[in-house]
Amino acid sequence: MSDMTKDVGKEIKRIAKEVYSTITDKKLPSLNMPIRALQNVKYDPKIGYFELVGKNKERTLAASTSRTFAQTLMMMNESKKIVETDDIATKREVYYISKNWGDARFNDQPESDTVMDDIEAMMMINREQLGFIPEEKGGDVAGKLIVMDKDTDTGKEIKIDCTKFGSGAYSVPSSVEHLKFQTDAKFILAIETAGAFQRLVKHNYWKKANCILISMGGVPTRACRRFIRRLADEMKIPVYVFTDGDPYGYLNIYRTLKVGSGNAAHINQYFCVPQAKFLGVTPQDIIDYKLPTHPLKDIDIKRVKDGVKNDPFVQSQKEWQRALDLMVKMKKRVEQQAFAAHSLNYVIDTYLPEKLKNPKTWLP
Amino acid sequence: MSDMTKDVGKEIKRIAKEVYSTITDKKLPSLNMPIRALQNVKYDPKIGYFELVGKNKERTLAASTSRTFAQTLMMMNESKKIVETDDIATKREVYYISKNWGDARFNDQPESDTVMDDIEAMMMINREQLGFIPEEKGGDVAGKLIVMDKDTDTGKEIKIDCTKFGSGAYSVPSSVEHLKFQTDAKFILAIETAGAFQRLVKHNYWKKANCILISMGGVPTRACRRFIRRLADEMKIPVYVFTDGDPYGYLNIYRTLKVGSGNAAHINQYFCVPQAKFLGVTPQDIIDYKLPTHPLKDIDIKRVKDGVKNDPFVQSQKEWQRALDLMVKMKKRVEQQAFAAHSLNYVIDTYLPEKLKNPKTWLP
């Protein structure tokens, strides 16, 4: 059992004791947790992620809250058992476990997910630390990185060398809190599509550029974001992001990776990667590299204009505003694969080396 | 360059020469390819996958077909270059390459995908053998398997031991034609969800059961299906499938893995896994294991009834008809995670061992 899990177990006991002693004092027990919503969020570039501004809600035991109150305590108890036995449970499994809780059982998974989010926010830790893991996996890795994991049966350390997987890759597990790293790579390149990742892996691009390649497969999962964040923090290496040049790549994939999202503000501090820089494909790259494009749809243009107007991240970044304005003016989007129009490996021979040498062409 | 790629290059040259000599003879050249549609398909359990019944279409050079004709030849030329340089190109990259083909360039990707499918069908090989790889990745693997790949730069063999990934996994590349295998595993367990896979990996289930675990992540991609097929054929080991007990798990995931799909009939022979058996979760398991369920929606019931009536696979399998009838009668579906209601590791300690001992409880 690691120090972290000991602390989680302890903290759950502390909260439970407080509730218990309040009850034995014949008072009504209550649980305190921050409100999780965009209205309770601010963005400061110096902090680097969407932060809670501190509005709290209190759940005091009453006739109307007794069921949720019981569910919260039962789920905390489940977490304690899981971390103490070094096990894991997916969100869906937790929902099924509740079927044994009598009247406190959940009727559907959204109900149990909400209680899980509340506990996360109340304890200000992420649910992976509570032993609750996401359903989805965490991205693919190739290149100059050794990941240290351990064998569940023997507890022995396992070294996973991400230079040794040929055309394949290391698939990041759903929970990454226990992993350790070794690397002398110069940077992490986080890539949107599996296709672009596969080309860079096929040509051992990580060897030439001395880097770590990570395939996000669209909007990165929690595990993928946490993996990149921990790797970048602990190994002190920069993170460059390479997506399609479209509103989805800019405002969903990159924005979520870098600063997090509004409705999960209580966990952004663990899952965002504030040190990330946007390498490309930028709207300016379309002009500089004479790339074939697709027309932007009206709905895309609306999405970009909304972003410029309402997204706290874009509002604080003049360079992003200028880039998005240029995109709206050109009414064009571009894909990572568009470099193939010059030649299949133009992205490896020309585009990535030129961009890496020229940080002025990046976006913050 | 492997024998396979030499053959592809040779075959492309042969077809091109034929077209060329027909033209120099002042005749109109033509290309022959099978019609790719459900009406041109049959299912024979002894063969094990949807087969083409042999209707062909002929593309003869004429004013109306000249553009498609040119595109077909240009794409074959591109394939020849790619296999000769041991490179790869995604479907989307091929579309962008065409931007240099003057009037023969594709206007959108569905157009270029159709020509790629035609070439695949004409040459009766899969497009990975033409050097064209899918955008998406190919599934995760953990357990008793060594995959042999090679280093692109040095050509040296790389051995990837799938027992050495800790809580992570080996991520299968987009194209698997070049991989070789070593294993003494007793079976392959193909799993629908990343969550169920993660539990089995966390507890080293592959060690206890002496098997290979493969996470399909929903409907398996081409690369995932081809990987399982090649592994099962070449190592002569059985394939057991473990999905949610719902119409999607039965008629989309399992059916596609085992016999293929209608609109890709020309490649089913490479991508299906006829030896696959359905381990669970079956409708009967809901009763036998007292599992918590969800109600089936009307649209699900309609989907099942359609399947029983129209799906050539279901029509030929009495046991599947009975299982689907039971499902419709109960109006219930069940998830892989439902075993957690008994205890978190019930699936490992009880369900999987019992099912593996009792092939009578499987479906064909």
Side-chain angles (χ1 to χ4, degrees):
Chain A
M1 196 167 42
S2 73
D3 285 349
M4 190 182 69
T5 58
K6 261 189 230 160
D7 290 349
V8 169
K10 250 193 227 166
E11 178 65 8
I12 290 174
K13 266 192 191 164
R14 192 194 60 74
I15 297 171
K17 266 189 189 156
E18 221 175 85
V19 170
Y20 182 79
S21 65
T22 313
I23 293 173
T24 52
D25 287 355
K26 305 203 171 159
K27 287 181 203 144
L28 288 172
S30 61
L31 297 168
N32 253 288
M33 48 202 81
I35 293 170
R36 297 173 288 101
L38 203 59
Q39 313 96 274
N40 195 22
V41 154
K42 67 172 181 189
Y43 175 69
D44 177 347
K46 275 179 240 109
I47 302 287
Y49 54 86
F50 284 170
E51 281 177 295
L52 289 166
V53 296
K55 286 173 211 143
N56 272 354
K57 65 177 172 187
E58 201 172 61
R59 183 171 291 159
T60 303
L61 185 58
S64 65
T65 63
S66 63
R67 199 162 148 270
T68 326
F69 203 93
Q71 287 169 333
T72 309
L73 293 175
M74 289 300 281
M75 197 184 282
M76 285 166 63
N77 182 45
E78 209 55 52
S79 164
K80 185 172 158 288
K81 283 194 281 184
I82 290 169
V83 295
E84 282 176 357
T85 55
D86 190 23
D87 207 333
I88 47 172
T90 66
K91 291 167 79 173
R92 195 167 301 182
E93 285 174 331
V94 172
Y95 160 71
Y96 282 110
I97 289 170
S98 85
K99 296 296 177 193
N100 302 307
W101 297 351
D103 288 343
R105 73 177 166 276
F106 295 110
N107 293 321
D108 52 35
Q109 204 192 319
E111 211 185 20
S112 84
D113 288 354
T114 304
V115 169
M116 195 179 285
D117 287 348
D118 281 345
I119 296 175
E120 218 178 10
M122 179 174 69
M123 298 183 60
M124 284 309 266
I125 59 174
N126 61 64
R127 65 169 176 264
E128 285 80 357
Q129 291 174 302
L130 296 163
F132 301 143
I133 65 161
E135 302 294 331
E136 72 274 10
K137 61 176 295 287
D140 288 346
V141 181
K144 291 285 189 72
L145 173 66
I146 291 171
V147 177
M148 266 100 67
D149 199 337
K150 63 176 170 87
D151 187 296
T152 313
D153 293 338
T154 63
K156 247 182 81 177
E157 190 176 79
I158 296 173
K159 282 194 178 199
I160 301 157
D161 184 343
C162 299
T163 65
K164 304 237 185 279
F165 299 133
S167 54
Y170 166 65
S171 176
V172 175
S174 308
S175 178
V176 303
E177 300 299 333
H178 60 293
L179 301 178
K180 294 192 180 107
F181 309 109
Q182 268 175 18
T183 183
D184 57 1
K186 287 229 179 73
F187 62 93
I188 297 164
L189 188 65
I191 300 152
E192 175 177 350
T193 62
F197 176 77
Q198 192 73 70
R199 167 160 307 284
L200 299 186
V201 170
K202 167 86 182 177
H203 292 280
N204 289 340
Y205 175 74
W206 51 265
K207 214 187 270 183
K208 301 173 186 87
N210 192 18
C211 71
I212 300 164
L213 304 172
I214 300 186
S215 173
M216 299 185 286
V219 175
T221 60
R222 286 168 65 105
C224 183
R225 286 147 62 197
R226 183 73 180 145
F227 184 87
I228 296 174
R229 167 65 179 279
R230 288 199 53 221
L231 181 56
D233 274 6
E234 286 165 34
M235 299 290 105
K236 295 188 175 49
I237 39 176
V239 177
Y240 307 138
V241 182
F242 179 29
T243 72
D244 286 343
D246 59 21
Y248 192 75
Y250 301 155
L251 298 174
N252 293 67
I253 296 175
Y254 180 68
R255 209 284 310 264
T256 302
L257 180 72
K258 186 178 171 92
V259 301
S261 61
N263 57 10
H266 61 294
I267 49 152
N268 285 333
Q269 61 171 307
Y270 307 106
F271 290 95
C272 66
V273 184
Q275 58 268 67
K277 303 279 177 207
F278 191 80
L279 188 94
V281 186
T282 67
Q284 186 62 40
D285 288 341
I286 294 177
I287 302 164
D288 295 348
Y289 290 92
K290 298 183 180 60
L291 296 174
T293 57
H294 294 272
L296 267 190
K297 285 180 195 140
D298 288 344
I299 192 168
D300 291 330
I301 293 172
K302 194 178 166 299
R303 169 93 183 84
V304 173
K305 285 183 178 166
D306 273 3
V308 173
K309 215 175 143 191
N310 298 319
D311 190 310
F313 171 65
V314 178
Q315 284 172 330
S316 77
Q317 302 283 10
K318 283 239 166 65
E319 288 176 67
W320 267 111
Q321 288 166 25
R322 275 196 294 269
L324 293 173
D325 286 346
L326 176 59
M327 176 180 229
V328 170
K329 216 180 98 198
M330 294 196 294
K331 293 194 179 172
K332 283 174 185 169
R333 64 180 178 86
V334 65
E335 292 174 348
Q336 294 191 290
Q337 285 77 5
F339 299 100
H342 296 314
S343 76
L344 264 181
N345 289 309
Y346 185 89
V347 64
I348 291 176
D349 304 334
T350 307
Y351 178 71
L352 287 175
E354 283 186 9
K355 290 289 288 194
L356 284 166
K357 263 189 230 146
N358 208 344
K360 276 185 204 153
T361 65
W362 306 349
L363 289 168
Chain B
M1 196 165 43
S2 72
D3 284 350
M4 188 184 70
T5 58
K6 258 189 231 159
D7 289 348
V8 170
K10 248 194 225 166
E11 178 64 9
I12 291 174
K13 264 192 191 162
R14 191 194 60 74
I15 297 171
K17 264 188 190 156
E18 219 174 88
V19 170
Y20 182 78
S21 67
T22 312
I23 293 173
T24 52
D25 287 355
K26 303 205 171 158
K27 286 182 203 143
L28 288 174
S30 61
L31 298 167
N32 252 288
M33 51 202 79
I35 292 170
R36 296 175 287 102
L38 202 60
Q39 313 95 276
N40 195 24
V41 152
K42 67 170 179 192
Y43 176 69
D44 176 349
K46 273 180 242 107
I47 301 286
Y49 54 85
F50 284 169
E51 281 178 295
L52 289 166
V53 296
K55 287 172 210 142
N56 271 355
K57 65 180 173 187
E58 198 172 64
R59 184 170 291 160
T60 303
L61 185 57
S64 66
T65 64
S66 63
R67 198 163 148 271
T68 324
F69 204 94
Q71 287 168 334
T72 309
L73 293 175
M74 290 299 282
M75 195 184 284
M76 286 166 63
N77 182 44
E78 207 57 50
S79 163
K80 187 172 157 285
K81 283 195 283 184
I82 290 169
V83 294
E84 282 176 358
T85 56
D86 190 23
D87 207 336
I88 47 172
T90 65
K91 290 168 78 173
R92 194 167 300 183
E93 285 175 331
V94 172
Y95 160 71
Y96 281 111
I97 289 170
S98 85
K99 295 298 176 190
N100 302 307
W101 295 352
D103 288 342
R105 72 177 165 278
F106 294 110
N107 292 323
D108 52 35
Q109 203 191 320
E111 209 185 20
S112 84
D113 288 354
T114 304
V115 169
M116 194 178 286
D117 287 346
D118 281 345
I119 296 175
E120 217 179 10
M122 178 173 70
M123 298 182 61
M124 284 308 267
I125 58 175
N126 62 62
R127 65 169 177 264
E128 286 79 359
Q129 291 174 300
L130 295 163
F132 301 143
I133 65 162
E135 305 289 334
E136 72 274 9
K137 62 173 297 285
D140 288 346
V141 182
K144 293 283 189 73
L145 173 67
I146 291 172
V147 177
M148 268 102 65
D149 199 339
K150 63 177 170 87
D151 187 295
T152 314
D153 293 340
T154 63
K156 246 182 80 177
E157 189 177 80
I158 296 173
K159 280 194 179 198
I160 301 156
D161 184 343
C162 299
T163 66
K164 303 232 185 284
F165 285 90
S167 55
Y170 166 64
S171 176
V172 174
S174 309
S175 179
V176 302
E177 299 300 333
H178 61 294
L179 301 178
K180 293 189 182 109
F181 309 108
Q182 268 173 19
T183 184
D184 57 3
K186 286 227 180 74
F187 62 93
I188 298 165
L189 187 66
I191 301 152
E192 174 176 350
T193 64
F197 176 76
Q198 192 73 68
R199 167 159 309 283
L200 299 186
V201 170
K202 166 86 182 179
H203 292 279
N204 288 339
Y205 175 73
W206 50 265
K207 215 187 270 182
K208 302 174 186 87
N210 192 18
C211 71
I212 301 165
L213 303 172
I214 300 186
S215 172
M216 299 186 286
V219 175
T221 60
R222 285 167 66 104
C224 183
R225 285 146 61 196
R226 182 73 177 144
F227 183 87
I228 296 174
R229 166 65 179 279
R230 287 200 52 222
L231 180 56
D233 274 7
E234 287 165 34
M235 298 291 104
K236 297 189 175 46
I237 39 178
V239 178
Y240 308 137
V241 182
F242 179 29
T243 72
D244 285 343
D246 60 20
Y248 192 75
Y250 301 154
L251 298 174
N252 293 68
I253 296 175
Y254 179 68
R255 210 282 312 265
T256 303
L257 179 73
K258 186 177 172 95
V259 301
S261 60
N263 57 10
H266 61 293
I267 50 152
N268 285 334
Q269 62 171 305
Y270 307 106
F271 289 95
C272 66
V273 183
Q275 59 267 68
K277 303 279 177 208
F278 191 80
L279 187 92
V281 188
T282 65
Q284 186 62 41
D285 288 341
I286 295 178
I287 302 163
D288 295 348
Y289 290 93
K290 298 182 181 60
L291 296 175
T293 56
H294 295 271
L296 268 190
K297 287 182 193 138
D298 288 346
I299 191 168
D300 290 330
I301 293 172
K302 195 178 165 299
R303 168 94 183 80
V304 174
K305 285 184 177 167
D306 273 4
V308 173
K309 213 174 143 192
N310 299 317
D311 190 310
F313 171 65
V314 178
Q315 284 172 329
S316 77
Q317 302 283 9
K318 282 237 167 69
E319 289 176 67
W320 268 110
Q321 288 166 24
R322 273 196 295 268
L324 293 173
D325 285 347
L326 176 59
M327 176 181 227
V328 169
K329 215 180 100 199
M330 294 195 294
K331 293 195 179 172
K332 282 176 186 170
R333 64 180 179 84
V334 64
E335 294 174 346
Q336 291 190 292
Q337 285 78 4
F339 299 101
H342 296 312
S343 75
L344 264 180
N345 289 310
Y346 185 89
V347 64
I348 292 176
D349 304 333
T350 306
Y351 179 70
L352 288 176
E354 283 186 8
K355 290 289 288 194
L356 284 165
K357 263 188 231 147
N358 208 345
K360 276 187 204 152
T361 66
W362 306 349
L363 289 168

